[in-house]
């Protein structure tokens, strides 16, 4: 599965600041109109609710527009500000409904790629489920919006909701975190401090603070109140700027020349691997071509090569012809190659496996993918889901998860394997780095999703992971976009989609662990506790008010 490469230079901090003033005034004005309609009498309440509902959905669409391949990361705080205007002061039930509508406006376009080749049912089911979980965030934000300093509590509630969505149901679905739309943004260095939870928190806090500052400005507040509202906007930006020294691409352990192979596929969609041998041959042939280019002096010889996930869906341990094709290509390039394969043991689940292939010794080590995609690589509740879509039977045999992180010794460098979907999960990437990875490789297969935005959304995740753990990230993809990313999140080279290609680049090797790597899930746990504290304060207030009554 991979993302876009769009420079943030054209939309630096000075431009968003200019847009911020107009954007927050518009947000405050729209929500003030809804409040005025509600106060005008019973006849206006329905119109006020419809206006808030429309604004909540528009806020969701605005957040979607902040994601790659568009370089409009700065829209995210304004989307959150507009949502804040819809939710502030609302009751819990209204907060849930408005949060649900926001989730639909956001996720329907963001996740439309999940309908590719299988129709709208899986897409609508996934979006509805995730939007319901975002509805819980709306409920919580509405409750804490009545507390002093509510933008802080509201941002923590947002992070707590992202933590829930990353874990449940069916192992969670982390796609669509605020953090993953910020690869080109000013907030990105926060990822190196507290990982994606802190990055999401910073964006959310800025958005809630923007709304509160605009709301207070309209009412000519006292200096103290105005200053507190402004802190919610300035603090995350200031913290991100202060964290910039943590974002480095210095070569601590020297450098290595790495190569990633994109062999391309015969066809896109769910039938991309109908010609599995052709997919394997494409990657072997592109590696042979790379070997010829090295021999002719056209490119530098790599120290190691990484193929994509599913580059050999034929099990080389049971199929001698597949073994021979791979072995010939690896011997030609003369360096270790990581091969993405599907292993089919006689009993038990399939294994989505990366194989370390040595030019002399052959296959020497394996890594089994640990985060298995529900309804893609395994089908929970198969008989029930079949009632809605027969496409579940495309997955005839479920994949099983691996248990240990995989770090391959390739040419003297520690290359950590994070296969495709795993890049969306904090613990999968972090555990690989803590196991000794000097470089992160994200072998992926996006052929299933054609030319949709999915590949750009995933590449943005990979860029955030580079900054979060201060590691170079290699992204070989069967059909594109493949890329080489430096530890500062910049993309040094990338391929076109559905084009056979090879990327060769010298990358820095690093072993220093960022605060985010060392702290692990602690920042997320702390923010969840803050959210719980805010909700507990609301509950305490209600109990005290009832006793007083």
């Amino acid at each position: 599965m991979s993302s876009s490469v769009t420079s943030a230079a054209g939309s630096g901090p000075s431009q968003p600041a200019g847009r911020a003033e107009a954007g927050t005034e518009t947000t405050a004005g729209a929500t003030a109109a809804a409040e005025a309609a509600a106060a005008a009498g019973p006849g206006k309440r329905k119109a006020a609710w419809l206006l808030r509902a429309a604004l909540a959905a528009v806020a969701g669409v605005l957040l979607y527009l902040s994601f790659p391949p568009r370089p409009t990361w700065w829209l995210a705080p304004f989307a959150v500000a507009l949502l804040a205007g819809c939710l502030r002061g609302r009751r819990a039930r209204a907060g849930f409904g408005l949060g649900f509508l926001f989730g639909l406006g956001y996720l329907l376009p963001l996740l439309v790629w999940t309908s590719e080749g299988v129709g709208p049912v899986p897409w609508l089911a996934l979006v509805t489920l995730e939007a319901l979980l975002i509805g819980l965030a709306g409920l919580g934000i509405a409750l804490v919006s009545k507390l002093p300093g509510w933008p802080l509590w509201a941002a923590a509630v947002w992070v707590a909701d992202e933590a829930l969505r990353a874990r449940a149901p069916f192992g969670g679905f982390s796609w669509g975190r605020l953090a993953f739309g910020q690869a080109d943004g000013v907030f990105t260095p926060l990822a190196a401090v507290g990982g994606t939870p802190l990055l999401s928190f910073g964006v959310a806090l800025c958005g809630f603070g923007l709304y509160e500052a605009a709301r207070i400005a309209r009412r000519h507040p006292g200096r103290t109140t105005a200053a507190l509202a402004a802190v919610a906007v300035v603090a995350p930006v200031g913290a991100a700027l202060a964290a910039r020294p943590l974002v480095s691409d210095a070569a601590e352990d020297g450098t290595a020349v790495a190569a990633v192979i994109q062999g391309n596929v015969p066809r896109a969609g769910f039938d991309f691997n109908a010609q599995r041998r052709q997919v394997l041959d494409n990657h072997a042939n592109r590696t042979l071509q790379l070997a010829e280019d090295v021999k002719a002096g056209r490119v530098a010889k790599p120290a190691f090569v990484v193929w994509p996930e599913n580059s050999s869906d034929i099990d080389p341990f049971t199929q001698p012809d597949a073994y021979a094709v791979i072995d010939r290509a690896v011997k030609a390039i003369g360096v270790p190659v990581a091969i993405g394969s599907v292993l089919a043991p006689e009993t038990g689940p399939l294994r989505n496996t990366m194989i370390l292939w040595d030019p002399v010794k052959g296959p020497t080590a394996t890594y089994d993918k640990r985060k298995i995609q529900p309804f893609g690589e395994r089908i929970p509740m198969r008989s029930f889901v079949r009632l809605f879509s027969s496409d579940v039977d495309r997955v005839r045999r479920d994949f099983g998860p691996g248990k240990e992180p995989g770090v391959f010794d390739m040419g003297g460098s520690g290359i950590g394997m994070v296969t495709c979907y795993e890049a969306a999960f904090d613990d999968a990437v972090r555990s690989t780095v803590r196991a000794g990875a000097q470089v992160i490789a994200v072998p992926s297969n996006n052929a299933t999703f054609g030319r949709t935005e999915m590949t750009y959304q995933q590449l943005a995740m990979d860029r955030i992971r580079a900054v979060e753990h201060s590691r170079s990230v290699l992204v070989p993809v069967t059909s594109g976009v493949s890329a080489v990313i430096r530890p500062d999140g910049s993309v040094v080279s990338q391929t076109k989609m559905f084009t056979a290609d090879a990327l060769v680049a010298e990358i820095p090797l690093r072993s220093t662990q960022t605060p985010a790597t060392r702290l692990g899930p602690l920042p997320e746990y702390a923010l969840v506790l803050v959210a719980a504290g805010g909700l507990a304060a609301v509950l305490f207030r209600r109990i005290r008010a009832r006793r007083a009554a």
Side-chain angles (χ1 to χ4, degrees):
M1 294 168 61
S2 250
S3 161
S4 83
V5 182
T6 46
S7 171
S11 53
S14 60
Q15 289 184 3
R19 296 183 180 100
E21 187 175 344
T24 48
E25 287 179 2
T26 302
T27 298
T31 52
E35 291 174 1
K44 300 291 186 178
R45 289 196 180 99
K46 185 175 181 180
W49 163 251
L50 291 175
L51 178 57
R52 286 195 194 95
L55 289 174
V58 168
V61 174
L62 195 63
L63 183 57
Y64 156 70
L65 292 174
S66 73
F67 271 68
R70 292 160 293 277
T72 47
W73 58 268
W74 47 268
L75 285 174
F78 297 115
V80 175
L82 184 55
L83 176 65
C86 298
L87 294 175
R88 186 183 179 279
R90 306 277 75 79
R91 294 182 177 181
R93 184 170 61 182
F96 178 82
L98 292 168
F100 175 70
L101 292 173
F102 171 84
L104 291 178
Y106 174 36
L107 297 178
L108 278 170
L110 187 79
L111 301 179
V112 69
W113 49 266
T114 59
S115 66
E116 192 79 5
V118 295
V121 173
W123 164 50
L124 295 176
L126 174 63
V127 168
T128 301
L129 177 59
E130 294 296 309
L132 286 171
L133 294 177
I134 292 178
L136 294 178
L139 183 155
I141 292 167
L143 289 175
V144 300
S145 68
K146 300 167 187 177
L147 295 175
W150 70 269
L152 173 69
W153 308 109
V157 168
W158 181 276
V159 174
D161 187 75
E162 286 192 344
L164 173 63
R165 291 195 289 124
R167 292 166 173 83
F170 309 117
F173 186 74
S174 291
W175 221 274
R177 281 183 167 183
L178 277 180
F180 293 147
Q182 296 296 307
D184 289 311
V186 69
F187 300 99
T188 305
L190 291 174
V193 180
T196 57
L198 185 63
L199 178 51
S200 288
F201 177 77
V203 178
L205 179 60
C206 183
F208 290 125
L210 280 172
Y211 170 75
E212 183 66 359
R215 186 185 71 85
I216 292 174
R218 289 175 61 86
R219 300 185 177 185
H220 306 289
R223 294 180 181 179
T224 302
T225 308
L228 290 174
V231 165
V233 180
V234 174
V237 176
L241 294 175
R244 286 191 64 83
L246 294 173
V247 182
S248 171
D249 63 355
E252 295 177 329
D253 305 322
T255 63
V257 177
V260 299
I261 298 295
Q262 178 175 301
N264 205 10
V265 298
R267 62 176 69 92
F270 267 85
D271 295 323
F272 78 94
N273 64 348
Q275 300 178 29
R276 296 182 298 164
R277 179 55 189 268
Q278 184 62 57
V279 175
L280 170 57
D281 287 345
N282 286 353
H283 288 84
N285 291 337
R286 192 60 189 83
T287 304
L288 292 171
Q289 182 181 336
L290 175 61
E292 289 295 323
D293 291 341
V294 170
K295 186 177 180 180
R298 289 188 287 270
V299 297
K301 183 174 181 176
F304 58 87
V305 179
V306 187
W307 286 14
E309 175 191 36
N310 299 129
S311 47
S312 175
D313 272 357
I314 305 174
D315 186 345
F317 295 112
T318 60
Q319 302 296 322
D321 59 333
Y323 187 106
V325 168
I326 296 171
D327 198 55
R328 176 170 174 259
V330 175
K331 280 181 165 59
I333 195 64
V335 298
V337 181
I339 309 291
S341 186
V342 172
L343 304 188
E346 292 184 3
T347 60
L350 299 172
R351 291 159 54 199
N352 189 333
T353 300
M354 294 302 297
I355 305 170
L356 175 58
W357 207 290
D358 186 85
V360 177
K361 301 176 183 177
T364 59
T366 61
Y367 165 68
D368 293 337
K369 185 177 182 180
R370 290 173 288 163
K371 297 290 185 180
I372 303 300
Q373 184 180 0
F375 305 103
E377 294 171 308
R378 64 180 179 92
I379 306 296
M381 306 184 302
R382 183 182 291 268
S383 58
F384 175 75
V385 175
R386 190 183 289 113
L387 297 174
F388 301 94
S389 175
S390 60
D391 284 313
V392 298
D393 292 323
R394 290 176 181 267
V395 182
R396 297 185 181 89
R397 184 177 174 186
D398 286 351
F399 283 80
K403 297 180 180 179
E404 301 294 332
V407 180
F408 292 163
D409 183 349
M410 303 182 71
S413 303
I415 313 302
M417 297 292 128
V418 178
T419 306
C420 196
Y421 181 64
E422 294 184 313
F425 293 88
D426 295 344
D427 58 332
V429 185
R430 181 174 58 246
S431 62
T432 303
V433 175
R434 297 186 70 165
Q438 296 170 294
V439 175
I440 300 171
V442 187
S444 303
N445 172 31
N446 295 345
T448 299
F449 305 107
R451 297 182 180 275
T452 64
E453 292 182 359
M454 178 270 176
T455 191
Y456 299 103
Q457 293 169 12
Q458 190 182 29
L459 186 55
M461 293 182 194
D462 299 333
R463 295 177 63 195
I464 293 296
R465 298 306 185 191
V467 174
E468 182 179 15
H469 300 289
S470 194
R471 295 293 188 271
S472 297
V473 178
L474 307 175
V475 189
V477 186
T478 50
S479 57
V481 173
S482 300
V484 177
I485 305 169
R486 294 182 70 85
D488 62 0
S490 62
V491 178
V492 296
S493 59
Q494 70 177 76
T495 66
K496 296 180 179 179
M497 296 182 75
F498 294 98
T499 303
D501 206 347
L503 301 177
V504 181
E506 185 176 11
I507 57 173
L509 303 175
R510 293 180 59 83
S511 55
T512 295
Q513 294 187 0
T514 63
T517 308
R518 293 193 299 270
L519 291 172
L522 293 180
E524 183 177 56
Y525 293 164
L527 291 169
V528 170
L529 287 176
V530 171
L535 294 171
V538 172
L539 179 61
F540 177 75
R541 280 186 162 200
R542 290 190 172 186
I543 293 174
R544 187 173 62 180
R546 287 179 181 177
R547 287 178 176 175

